[in-house]
Structures are given as C-alpha cells and as structure tokens.
Amino acid sequence: MEWLKEFLGDDLYSQVEAKLKGNDKVKIANLASGDYISKSKHDDEIKGKDTKIGELTEKVKKFDGVDVVKLQQDVKDWEKKYQDDLAATKKEAAIKLAITSAKPRNEKALMALLDTDIVKLNDDGTVTGLKEQLENIKKDNGFLFEEEKKETEDVNLGGNHKKQAQVVETTWDSALSEYYGKE
C-alpha cells in the first residue's frame, strides 16, 4: 500500500491505515497494476478451465489402451511400403517403355526372358541393365523382334518401268474384228 501514500500524503495515509487494520471486508488494490481480479471473473475463468479439462479428458479416454508408439511405427511402415511400391511401378513402366521401343513381336515373351532384378531405375529416370539384356536377346532370339526395314536400292532390270501402259479404246466393232481376225 505504499503507492497510496504518494496520493494521500503521510497524515491521511496513516489515518486510513489505522482504520483498515483488522478489517477483513475491505481490501485495497491498485487496479492499474493488474493485480486485482474480481471474484466473479475469477470464478468464470475457473469454470471455463474446468470445462476445457473435461473435454480434453474425454478425448484422451478415446485413446486409452492405444499404443502410440506402435501407431507411429505402423505409419512409418506404410510410408516405406508406399515408397517401395511407387519405385516398383516406375521401374515397371520404364521397362515396358524400353521393351516397346525395342519393337518385339510379343512383349510377354520378351518379358519372360528378361531378368528384371538386375534392372535399376536411376533418380534421373534412366534405366540401367536393360539395354545389354535386350541386345543379347536380339542376338540369341532374333525371331522375337520385328525385322528392321532397310531401304532397298532401285535395281535396273532393263526396260522402261516408269512408262505408263497405253490405253487403247475398244469398240464393239474393233473387238469383233480382232476376235475373228478381220480388219
């Protein structure tokens, strides 16, 4: 209450202090410092906090008996499985694309001859270990692939092959004459 002495002065402050000694009903506080909270406001805050504690307790009860560490491990396992499946799908797509570009007659037959375990998909999207296998299969089993069409050179067989055939108009009279040998 020393702050009150500044406002009241020493004489008046000592009179107020003497009157308040032993009195439980009156309390003096400096509201500007934020030290005082009314009882009703304090009670409201306590009720709000009790309500929040009750809500949180109910939420925690829902997880009673749940092994959080096991759930975290399950999430990690599922994430790893997802990443592995995604990588396998990308690898399979890259292999199928490479097989298609090799122009096989039967893609399934070619797939059966490939060792996909040694094929690796790099981070940049390139495939290693497949090109060599395809080349070896072409050497040993060339019938599995479509033949590459080579451009043929023109062969001169003599004569004028670019000349159009003459079209002779045939009439009824000329056809009869030609058949009976008369002109």
Side-chain angles (χ1 to χ4, degrees), residues 6 79 128:
E6 289 177 25
E79 185 175 346
T128 56

Side-chain angles (χ1 to χ4, degrees), residues 58-76:
E58 289 300 316
K59 287 182 180 180
V60 168
K61 284 182 182 177
K62 291 179 184 178
F63 292 103
D64 192 24
V66 174
D67 187 1
V68 176
V69 174
K70 183 182 180 312
L71 284 176
Q72 288 174 337
Q73 185 60 43
D74 288 347
V75 167
K76 288 178 184 176

Side-chain angles (χ1 to χ4, degrees), residues 19-164:
K19 288 275 186 179
L20 290 177
K21 254 189 191 169
N23 188 347
D24 300 357
K25 296 181 182 178
V26 177
K27 294 188 179 193
I28 298 178
N30 183 359
L31 296 179
S33 67
D35 293 338
Y36 178 79
I37 298 176
S38 70
K39 179 165 177 29
S40 63
K41 183 176 179 182
H42 175 71
D43 289 345
D44 290 343
E45 284 183 17
I46 294 296
K47 285 180 186 176
K49 289 179 181 179
D50 286 343
T51 303
K52 189 67 173 174
I53 289 171
E55 291 171 3
L56 292 173
T57 303
E58 289 300 316
K59 287 182 180 180
V60 168
K61 284 182 182 177
K62 291 179 184 178
F63 292 103
D64 192 24
V66 174
D67 187 1
V68 176
V69 174
K70 183 182 180 312
L71 284 176
Q72 288 174 337
Q73 185 60 43
D74 288 347
V75 167
K76 288 178 184 176
D77 292 345
W78 278 104
E79 185 175 346
K80 183 179 181 333
K81 182 182 181 324
Y82 169 77
Q83 292 298 332
D84 292 346
D85 289 348
L86 182 63
T89 302
K90 286 180 178 179
K91 178 180 169 182
E92 183 179 334
I95 290 172
K96 285 186 178 182
L97 181 65
I99 286 175
T100 302
S101 65
K103 298 180 183 174
R105 291 186 179 177
N106 187 329
E107 291 180 11
K108 288 181 182 179
L110 183 57
M111 276 294 286
L113 295 173
L114 289 174
D115 183 5
T116 57
D117 292 337
I118 63 172
V119 175
K120 301 291 181 218
L121 180 64
N122 301 325
D123 292 336
D124 62 355
T126 59
V127 180
T128 56
L130 183 62
K131 185 178 179 181
E132 299 81 15
Q133 288 187 61
L134 287 173
E135 289 172 359
N136 289 335
I137 293 171
K138 275 186 181 181
K139 284 180 196 173
D140 297 340
N141 301 301
F143 62 90
L144 287 175
F145 298 90
E146 293 178 9
E147 292 181 23
E148 292 182 23
K149 294 181 180 177
K150 296 180 182 177
E151 295 205 18
T152 58
E153 294 182 22
D154 289 337
V155 177
N156 188 358
L157 299 175
N160 186 0
H161 296 286
K162 295 184 182 187
K163 185 176 178 185
Q164 296 283 333

